[in-house]
mmCIF file of all heavy atoms in Angstrom:
data_model
loop_
_atom_site.group_PDB
_atom_site.id
_atom_site.type_symbol
_atom_site.label_atom_id
_atom_site.label_comp_id
_atom_site.label_asym_id
_atom_site.label_seq_id
_atom_site.Cartn_x
_atom_site.Cartn_y
_atom_site.Cartn_z
ATOM 1 N N THR A 1156 8.557 -21.555 -4.228
ATOM 2 C CA THR A 1156 8.414 -20.109 -4.186
ATOM 3 C C THR A 1156 7.723 -19.742 -2.893
ATOM 4 O O THR A 1156 7.022 -20.563 -2.302
ATOM 5 C CB THR A 1156 7.600 -19.587 -5.396
ATOM 6 O OG1 THR A 1156 7.627 -18.153 -5.407
ATOM 7 C CG2 THR A 1156 6.155 -20.022 -5.316
ATOM 8 N N THR A 1157 7.947 -18.522 -2.433
ATOM 9 C CA THR A 1157 7.235 -18.062 -1.241
ATOM 10 C C THR A 1157 5.789 -17.799 -1.630
ATOM 11 O O THR A 1157 5.516 -16.923 -2.439
ATOM 12 C CB THR A 1157 7.874 -16.781 -0.686
ATOM 13 O OG1 THR A 1157 9.252 -17.036 -0.411
ATOM 14 C CG2 THR A 1157 7.170 -16.360 0.588
ATOM 15 N N LEU A 1158 4.911 -18.588 -1.079
ATOM 16 C CA LEU A 1158 3.501 -18.478 -1.462
ATOM 17 C C LEU A 1158 2.893 -17.294 -0.727
ATOM 18 O O LEU A 1158 2.362 -17.423 0.370
ATOM 19 C CB LEU A 1158 2.756 -19.767 -1.122
ATOM 20 C CG LEU A 1158 1.317 -19.852 -1.643
ATOM 21 C CD1 LEU A 1158 1.294 -19.723 -3.157
ATOM 22 C CD2 LEU A 1158 0.675 -21.143 -1.224
ATOM 23 N N ASP A 1159 3.034 -16.101 -1.351
ATOM 24 C CA ASP A 1159 2.519 -14.910 -0.684
ATOM 25 C C ASP A 1159 1.005 -14.912 -0.717
ATOM 26 O O ASP A 1159 0.368 -15.720 -1.376
ATOM 27 C CB ASP A 1159 3.088 -13.644 -1.331
ATOM 28 C CG ASP A 1159 2.743 -13.561 -2.807
ATOM 29 O OD1 ASP A 1159 1.554 -13.678 -3.143
ATOM 30 O OD2 ASP A 1159 3.659 -13.397 -3.631
ATOM 31 N N SER A 1160 0.443 -13.966 0.009
ATOM 32 C CA SER A 1160 -1.016 -13.949 0.158
ATOM 33 C C SER A 1160 -1.718 -13.590 -1.128
ATOM 34 O O SER A 1160 -2.880 -13.937 -1.322
ATOM 35 C CB SER A 1160 -1.409 -12.965 1.271
ATOM 36 O OG SER A 1160 -0.961 -13.446 2.501
ATOM 37 N N GLU A 1161 -1.042 -12.901 -2.030
ATOM 38 C CA GLU A 1161 -1.669 -12.624 -3.327
ATOM 39 C C GLU A 1161 -1.909 -13.933 -4.062
ATOM 40 O O GLU A 1161 -3.002 -14.206 -4.560
ATOM 41 C CB GLU A 1161 -0.748 -11.716 -4.144
ATOM 42 C CG GLU A 1161 -1.286 -11.472 -5.551
ATOM 43 C CD GLU A 1161 -0.244 -10.850 -6.458
ATOM 44 O OE1 GLU A 1161 0.946 -10.804 -6.069
ATOM 45 O OE2 GLU A 1161 -0.619 -10.443 -7.560
ATOM 46 N N LEU A 1162 -0.859 -14.785 -4.143
ATOM 47 C CA LEU A 1162 -1.020 -16.077 -4.802
ATOM 48 C C LEU A 1162 -1.958 -16.968 -4.002
ATOM 49 O O LEU A 1162 -2.774 -17.691 -4.551
ATOM 50 C CB LEU A 1162 0.343 -16.744 -4.958
ATOM 51 C CG LEU A 1162 1.370 -15.975 -5.803
ATOM 52 C CD1 LEU A 1162 2.727 -16.648 -5.726
ATOM 53 C CD2 LEU A 1162 0.900 -15.896 -7.255
ATOM 54 N N GLU A 1163 -1.828 -16.910 -2.675
ATOM 55 C CA GLU A 1163 -2.715 -17.681 -1.812
ATOM 56 C C GLU A 1163 -4.172 -17.311 -2.076
ATOM 57 O O GLU A 1163 -5.059 -18.170 -2.158
ATOM 58 C CB GLU A 1163 -2.359 -17.416 -0.357
ATOM 59 C CG GLU A 1163 -3.202 -18.154 0.646
ATOM 60 C CD GLU A 1163 -2.568 -19.475 1.035
ATOM 61 O OE1 GLU A 1163 -1.349 -19.632 0.863
ATOM 62 O OE2 GLU A 1163 -3.308 -20.355 1.492
ATOM 63 N N GLU A 1164 -4.403 -16.000 -2.194
ATOM 64 C CA GLU A 1164 -5.779 -15.536 -2.422
ATOM 65 C C GLU A 1164 -6.287 -16.008 -3.767
ATOM 66 O O GLU A 1164 -7.425 -16.458 -3.897
ATOM 67 C CB GLU A 1164 -5.799 -14.022 -2.326
ATOM 68 C CG GLU A 1164 -7.169 -13.407 -2.577
ATOM 69 C CD GLU A 1164 -7.348 -12.997 -4.022
ATOM 70 O OE1 GLU A 1164 -6.365 -12.575 -4.648
ATOM 71 O OE2 GLU A 1164 -8.460 -13.121 -4.535
ATOM 72 N N GLN A 1165 -5.453 -15.921 -4.812
ATOM 73 C CA GLN A 1165 -5.884 -16.325 -6.143
ATOM 74 C C GLN A 1165 -6.148 -17.832 -6.174
ATOM 75 O O GLN A 1165 -7.105 -18.295 -6.805
ATOM 76 C CB GLN A 1165 -4.833 -15.930 -7.172
ATOM 77 C CG GLN A 1165 -4.700 -14.422 -7.331
ATOM 78 C CD GLN A 1165 -3.572 -14.032 -8.255
ATOM 79 O OE1 GLN A 1165 -2.976 -14.874 -8.916
ATOM 80 N NE2 GLN A 1165 -3.242 -12.751 -8.286
ATOM 81 N N MET A 1166 -5.288 -18.592 -5.502
ATOM 82 C CA MET A 1166 -5.522 -20.033 -5.438
ATOM 83 C C MET A 1166 -6.760 -20.344 -4.598
ATOM 84 O O MET A 1166 -7.545 -21.231 -4.931
ATOM 85 C CB MET A 1166 -4.289 -20.736 -4.859
ATOM 86 C CG MET A 1166 -3.075 -20.702 -5.768
ATOM 87 S SD MET A 1166 -1.633 -21.451 -5.009
ATOM 88 C CE MET A 1166 -2.195 -23.134 -4.832
ATOM 89 N N GLY A 1167 -6.914 -19.606 -3.485
ATOM 90 C CA GLY A 1167 -8.079 -19.825 -2.635
ATOM 91 C C GLY A 1167 -9.379 -19.544 -3.369
ATOM 92 O O GLY A 1167 -10.391 -20.228 -3.157
ATOM 93 N N ALA A 1168 -9.356 -18.533 -4.235
ATOM 94 C CA ALA A 1168 -10.552 -18.215 -5.009
ATOM 95 C C ALA A 1168 -10.945 -19.363 -5.916
ATOM 96 O O ALA A 1168 -12.118 -19.548 -6.229
ATOM 97 C CB ALA A 1168 -10.332 -16.939 -5.833
ATOM 98 N N LEU A 1169 -9.928 -20.154 -6.329
ATOM 99 C CA LEU A 1169 -10.187 -21.300 -7.199
ATOM 100 C C LEU A 1169 -10.361 -22.592 -6.405
ATOM 101 O O LEU A 1169 -10.388 -23.675 -6.984
ATOM 102 C CB LEU A 1169 -9.047 -21.457 -8.197
ATOM 103 C CG LEU A 1169 -8.872 -20.293 -9.177
ATOM 104 C CD1 LEU A 1169 -7.659 -20.517 -10.056
ATOM 105 C CD2 LEU A 1169 -10.126 -20.097 -10.019
ATOM 106 N N GLY A 1170 -10.418 -22.457 -5.073
ATOM 107 C CA GLY A 1170 -10.720 -23.622 -4.250
ATOM 108 C C GLY A 1170 -9.516 -24.380 -3.744
ATOM 109 O O GLY A 1170 -9.674 -25.400 -3.058
#
Side-chain angles (χ1 to χ4, degrees):
T1156 187
T1157 303
L1158 188 59
D1159 58 53
S1160 293
E1161 176 193 11
L1162 299 172
E1163 180 93 21
E1164 179 266 326
Q1165 293 175 9
M1166 292 177 63
L1169 297 176

